Amino acid sequence: MENFKDKTVYQIYPRSFCDSNGDGFGDLRGITGKLDYLKDLGVDYLWITPFFRSPQRDNGYDVADYRAIEPVFGTMEDVEELIAEADSRGIGLMFDMVFNHTSTEHEWFQRALAGEEKYQNYYIFKDGTPDQIPTNWESKFGGPAWEYVPSLGKWYLHLFDVTQADLNWENPEVREELKEIIRFWKQKGVKGFRFDVVNLISKPEVFENDYEGDGRRFYTDGRHVHEFLHELVHDTGIAGMVTVGEMSSTSLENCIRYSNPECEELSMAFSFHHLKIDYKDGNKWELMKPDLGKLKELFETWQTGMQQGGGWNAVFWDNHDQPRIVSRLGDDQKYWKESAKMLGAAIHLMRGTPYVYQGDELGMTNAYFTDIAQYRDVESRNYYRILLENGKSEKEALQILGERSRDNGRTPMRWNAEKYAGFLPENASAEPWIEVTSYRKEANAEAQIKDSDSIYSFYRTLIRMRKEYPLISEGNIRFLYQETDGVLAYERYFEKEGEKKLIVLCNLLGEEVRLTLPEAGGKVLLGNYPGAEDAAAADRELTLRPYEVLAIEK
Ligand code: TEU
């Protein structure tokens, strides 16, 4: 098993990372051209979201051929070159396997539509009539989770978009097909895998209406999910690789099983509870001020819970589905640099494997779009319509999208302060597929790489510290000051007497917070304000400045 505990993963959304040929879309050669930037940052793995053949209805999470490359991203030769070039820099590639569903343009689904029973059994079809939907479950992208096919007299299940048909994992032929796909990319030199919503793959034996919710309780962490995952990992021989599962609406108990090495399922798990603390009544599309007390409670539950259970967290704030954390929990106006650094340190010094989403190392912010025409995401455009249908004004609906849309994390990576941020070649005739954020122009690589005080340099230090300090990569964790509003604090330690420990103090607020430390003194390893190194030399009374973070070795 690769020791990944001192490693950091960088997530790339290729569509928005770097466009090498000027067609307005990021591509694989664009990633290859930026490998030295990533090597200098110090990351060890690159998780690249799907670039396989796809109608792009969900930007690649609707796969039509798992072994072919969507031409907009490049060719198989480009993939092979990227793998080789990354490998020569000591960087491993993690590909994104969307195995809960395929595009309805996949050959398997097309053959199912043509009446081939073998392929109808690859999906979840239910006989019925147009007025008899099998269950009242809702799609996560809005609307019903079933679609009727008149020519077949059947409904099919789609937990996401209508063009994303759920696979039937109960069918051993489906499981064998998916194992072959893993073997195909493994033999090409891929070093790890991310599994998309993999805890939704096991559906119930009986499909029934949900009168308490949207149906997720019937298919989330389903009855055979652990058995299926173990079988997939064991039969493809990837237990020694770095693998991560995206676990939608999951539980701590299940994530311990998903990621405890003794279960031989995955290396680690993404859970999302900490990213729902600003969802009013759990609804993403109802705005609420972030509940920071809940955030601290969830971090403690999941960090100490996984530690006690032998599990391993993927620790992250952002990805291609989330708004930018510096706009969401920090202050991208008055305390942009301080809050971006503090939020980065808060998770990078925790127990788990940190994921840096492209642009977070630069403090990239939300998009601040003002018109629905600027949005590209299928989920956002669906919910804009639903919000209007439910009585919200256009202004209210745009305000909600402005805070919640996945497009906030999908604006082009900013390489410089030029009009298109260096995302595409200067002589390009096309424009980027989505607008470049015009906000915070200093959130760009060229401005920050050489600046030792930049967010980029701070992230570089965080990534290096994980490699240098076993306390960070292997140490235990316990939380401190849980009763102090606005302070996220924890201690990394080893059980052995006399060992050093690391105390991490994060002020989540835009105002000063006073703390009384357990003891005076210690050595400040990291701070995001000038003069931080003097802080710990002071006596036990400490004042944390707005969005200040201190990591003190005691
Ligand atoms: O995301 C799962 C998922 O539910 C997210 O879409 C997210 O939780 C939701 O948008 C919050 O409202 C994975 C992929 O990361 C996402 O990009 C895909 O759209 C989705 O699965 C379907 O494959």
Side-chain angles (χ1 to χ4, degrees):
M1 167 74 77
E2 156 83 352
N3 175 26
F4 49 78
K5 295 189 174 181
D6 62 351
K7 304 291 190 295
T8 297
V9 183
Y10 188 91
Q11 182 197 349
I12 291 176
Y13 194 65
R15 197 183 184 89
S16 304
F17 188 67
C18 181
D19 168 13
S20 70
N21 63 2
D23 64 358
F25 294 87
D27 47 50
L28 294 160
R29 295 176 70 84
I31 299 172
T32 302
K34 297 295 183 184
L35 285 173
D36 287 334
Y37 166 82
L38 295 164
K39 181 66 183 169
D40 290 348
L41 181 59
V43 297
D44 305 280
Y45 289 93
L46 303 181
W47 155 28
I48 305 177
T49 58
F51 45 83
F52 312 114
R53 201 165 64 69
S54 156
Q56 297 295 303
R57 168 86 181 202
D58 187 16
N59 292 356
Y61 281 91
D62 47 326
V63 180
D65 186 340
Y66 293 94
R67 296 178 181 83
I69 311 306
E70 181 56 30
V72 76
F73 295 118
T75 64
M76 185 59 81
E77 290 68 31
D78 294 333
V79 173
E80 291 161 351
E81 182 189 28
L82 174 56
I83 293 171
E85 288 296 326
D87 194 47
S88 72
R89 293 167 174 82
I91 295 175
L93 297 189
M94 294 171 71
F95 283 5
D96 199 332
M97 296 290 113
V98 187
F99 283 174
N100 175 68
H101 47 269
T102 74
S103 164
T104 48
E105 290 188 21
H106 194 289
E107 179 199 1
W108 300 338
F109 193 83
Q110 290 300 307
R111 295 180 72 168
L113 287 184
E116 291 188 57
E117 194 175 340
K118 167 185 167 70
Y119 291 101
Q120 288 174 0
N121 289 331
Y122 274 30
Y123 297 90
I124 297 163
F125 278 98
K126 296 291 177 193
D127 291 332
T129 57
D131 59 346
Q132 280 180 314
I133 193 165
T135 69
N136 65 351
W137 298 359
E138 294 167 26
S139 156
K140 289 174 185 288
F141 288 171
W146 298 90
E147 178 72 3
Y148 190 64
V149 183
S151 62
L152 297 180
K154 296 176 188 293
W155 298 81
Y156 69 85
L157 179 67
H158 62 89
L159 295 181
F160 291 92
D161 189 64
V162 66
T163 65
Q164 294 169 293
D166 278 60
L167 283 167
N168 172 16
W169 272 72
E170 297 299 327
N171 182 344
E173 291 181 18
V174 168
R175 301 202 299 272
E176 288 311 313
E177 294 273 15
L178 300 177
K179 291 173 195 173
E180 280 305 304
I181 293 162
I182 291 287
R183 294 185 186 114
F184 176 83
W185 288 115
K186 183 183 167 193
Q187 60 85 22
K188 286 237 181 250
V190 169
K191 294 288 188 297
F193 295 96
R194 181 255 190 186
F195 292 99
D196 184 61
V197 289
V198 73
N199 70 317
L200 308 184
I201 59 176
S202 176
K203 296 340 190 249
E205 187 171 3
V206 175
F207 287 76
E208 55 187 292
N209 282 335
D210 186 354
Y211 297 109
E212 299 166 24
D214 62 6
R216 69 182 64 193
R217 64 192 178 94
F218 290 114
Y219 55 76
T220 302
D221 299 326
R223 54 193 171 130
H224 296 145
V225 67
H226 294 286
E227 178 191 328
F228 289 160
L229 264 181
H230 178 78
E231 177 189 315
L232 180 78
V233 168
H234 180 269
D235 291 2
T236 54
I238 61 172
M241 288 188 161
V242 177
T243 53
V244 60
E246 180 195 33
M247 307 299 178
S248 177
S249 306
T250 189
S251 69
L252 174 60
E253 293 68 30
N254 277 290
C255 282
I256 288 170
R257 285 186 66 185
Y258 290 133
S259 61
N260 182 322
E262 291 170 12
C263 301
E264 204 176 89
E265 291 181 25
L266 301 173
S267 311
M268 61 191 87
F270 281 118
S271 61
F272 293 82
H273 300 281
H274 65 298
L275 293 176
K276 298 185 178 180
I277 55 157
D278 53 4
Y279 287 12
K280 188 175 179 187
D281 304 326
N283 180 349
K284 169 174 178 177
W285 306 99
E286 286 292 335
L287 302 183
M288 181 180 86
K289 193 168 172 300
D291 180 342
L292 297 179
K294 183 75 179 163
L295 180 70
K296 290 165 39 146
E297 187 188 302
L298 286 164
F299 272 135
E300 180 168 37
T301 300
W302 280 84
Q303 283 282 310
T304 57
M306 289 283 258
Q307 172 177 282
Q308 285 153 12
W312 194 255
N313 286 302
V315 286
F316 72 107
W317 288 119
D318 289 345
N319 61 32
H320 60 290
D321 294 330
Q322 298 294 334
R324 291 282 183 177
I325 199 66
V326 70
S327 302
R328 184 177 190 180
L329 286 188
D331 176 339
D332 62 16
Q333 300 186 43
K334 187 176 177 188
Y335 295 103
W336 167 66
K337 189 185 280 192
E338 293 82 359
S339 61
K341 290 179 178 179
M342 180 276 293
L343 290 164
I347 56 164
H348 274 259
L349 301 178
M350 277 187 186
R351 183 180 181 278
T353 295
Y355 283 66
V356 180
Y357 179 56
Q358 67 183 47
D360 274 5
E361 78 277 15
L362 304 173
M364 279 183 66
T365 68
N366 278 351
Y368 294 104
F369 289 160
T370 55
D371 189 305
I372 188 61
Q374 293 170 289
Y375 286 94
R376 298 289 178 271
D377 172 27
V378 59
E379 179 194 50
S380 301
R381 297 178 68 83
N382 282 357
Y383 271 97
Y384 179 74
R385 173 178 46 77
I386 293 167
L387 288 165
L388 296 181
E389 285 167 358
N390 292 346
K392 298 285 188 189
S393 68
E394 282 189 19
K395 182 168 185 270
E396 288 169 326
L398 283 171
Q399 186 200 352
I400 292 169
L401 257 59
E403 292 202 34
R404 295 293 147 86
S405 171
R406 301 191 301 178
D407 281 334
N408 281 308
R410 300 178 178 185
T411 58
M413 178 75 174
R414 302 185 62 92
W415 298 104
N416 60 40
E418 301 306 313
K419 181 182 179 189
Y420 294 134
F423 169 67
L424 34 65
E426 280 179 20
N427 58 355
S429 55
E431 294 191 342
W433 68 279
I434 188 171
E435 285 179 32
V436 173
T437 310
S438 55
Y439 195 70
R440 275 277 168 217
K441 286 192 181 299
E442 61 271 44
N444 77 72
E446 189 176 74
Q448 295 194 30
I449 289 176
K450 298 278 188 282
D451 173 2
S452 61
D453 185 45
S454 64
I455 300 165
Y456 166 88
S457 297
F458 192 83
Y459 264 79
R460 223 164 153 256
T461 301
L462 289 170
I463 294 165
R464 177 175 50 73
M465 285 175 71
R466 178 164 288 271
K467 292 182 172 63
E468 286 176 4
Y469 291 88
L471 260 180
I472 299 171
S473 56
E474 304 276 349
N476 296 317
I477 191 166
R478 64 166 71 98
F479 281 74
L480 312 170
Y481 302 104
Q482 284 294 70
E483 74 293 338
T484 306
D485 285 350
V487 171
L488 175 65
Y490 52 86
E491 184 178 79
R492 304 300 310 275
Y493 68 95
F494 287 115
E495 295 296 352
K496 196 172 159 222
E497 275 302 309
E499 288 274 344
K500 286 187 182 294
K501 56 192 177 185
L502 183 68
I503 292 185
V504 181
L505 305 169
C506 304
N507 181 0
L508 301 174
L509 302 176
E511 61 200 48
E512 288 187 350
V513 175
R514 293 191 58 75
L515 286 180
T516 301
L517 295 177
E519 56 197 313
K523 179 183 171 203
V524 173
L525 299 184
L526 184 79
N528 62 342
Y529 272 83
E533 57 282 350
D534 303 332
D539 63 21
R540 293 177 53 199
E541 298 308 314
L542 181 68
T543 299
L544 288 177
R545 290 163 282 192
Y547 298 107
E548 182 162 22
V549 58
L550 282 175
I552 305 169
E553 185 181 49
K554 296 254 184 199

